[in-house]
Amino acid sequence: MSDHELRVSKIARGTVIDHIRGGQALNVLAILGIDGAGGETVSVGMNIPSDRMGKKDIVKVEDRELSQDEVDVLSLIAPEATINIVREYEVVEKQYLDRPERVIGVLSCPNHECITNADEPVATEFEVLDDGVRCAYCETILREDLASHIAAE
Ligand code: CTP
Ligand code: ZN
């Protein structure tokens, strides 16, 4: 394949999540709640050679823009990713992620005894660690599978 061809075609409209660390694309899809059953048109490239990163993954979701909560959770597992909003084939906005120090109201705590799971609503709060997140209330640590702990709207 020549350098002038793209492995994954350009899209007309939607979101391109680029520069995802190699191997993380399926986790990105899980965070976006994409399993194919929703009917979205999605292209995924894995372990694509990249000058900057060695190898990268890329996810292109057509006709969809991301919510701030989705971007917040993505920043935990793919802090080096770039989010490109595409309209009429052009990148109209490029968002660089930043690993937050804490995430509030985005993830749910897996500890059923945690105050954030009690009847009185308390917003969840997690501190971001190098290799996971820690509940600010009960100190439960979540390392893997952040995607299945995204708080329900
Ligand atoms: N892209 C796409 N469809 C479009 C426009 C862009 O799929 N209609 C993809 C490109 O293939 C690239 C990403 O969106 O993976 C960002 O596009 P662009 O900003 O044009 O590329 P670069 O300048 O190389 O981006 P960066 O500087 O972030 O690496
Ligand atoms: Zn907790």
Side-chain angles (χ1 to χ4, degrees):
M1 170 178 277
S2 92
D3 287 348
H4 302 288
E5 284 175 64
L6 287 176
R7 276 193 169 71
V8 186
S9 302
K10 294 207 168 206
I11 62 173
R13 231 183 94 79
T15 303
V16 175
I17 306 158
D18 196 3
H19 305 297
I20 302 165
R21 197 179 335 130
Q24 289 292 321
L26 292 180
N27 289 331
V28 167
L29 291 175
I31 283 167
L32 301 183
I34 293 172
D35 63 3
E40 311 91 340
T41 302
V42 178
S43 312
V44 178
M46 289 185 186
N47 298 314
I48 294 179
S50 154
D51 289 344
R52 192 169 1 139
M53 303 177 72
K55 284 178 175 180
K56 69 172 184 181
D57 286 0
I58 187 163
V59 170
K60 301 189 180 188
V61 187
E62 297 187 34
D63 300 318
R64 171 154 165 204
E65 295 184 9
L66 308 186
S67 70
Q68 192 56 49
D69 279 1
E70 289 171 328
V71 172
D72 286 349
V73 182
L74 279 182
S75 67
L76 298 177
I77 69 145
E80 60 288 275
T82 316
I83 300 192
N84 300 275
I85 310 293
V86 175
R87 292 187 194 132
E88 294 178 0
Y89 286 98
E90 299 292 330
V91 173
V92 295
E93 195 183 319
K94 205 179 267 285
Q95 201 176 350
Y96 298 93
L97 300 182
D98 201 12
R99 222 154 175 268
E101 278 172 35
R102 44 191 65 234
V103 283
I104 296 171
V106 172
L107 295 168
S108 60
C109 184
N111 171 12
H112 295 290
E113 308 293 321
C114 181
I115 186 172
T116 62
N117 288 316
D119 291 339
E120 289 289 310
V122 178
T124 63
E125 180 169 336
F126 287 83
E127 278 171 65
V128 178
L129 313 174
D130 286 341
D131 60 344
V133 297
R134 178 171 53 216
C135 178
Y137 294 97
C138 73
E139 305 202 337
T140 296
I141 291 184
L142 254 175
R143 285 208 169 81
E144 271 126 47
D145 206 17
L146 294 180
S148 65
H149 290 96
I150 297 176
E153 297 285 292

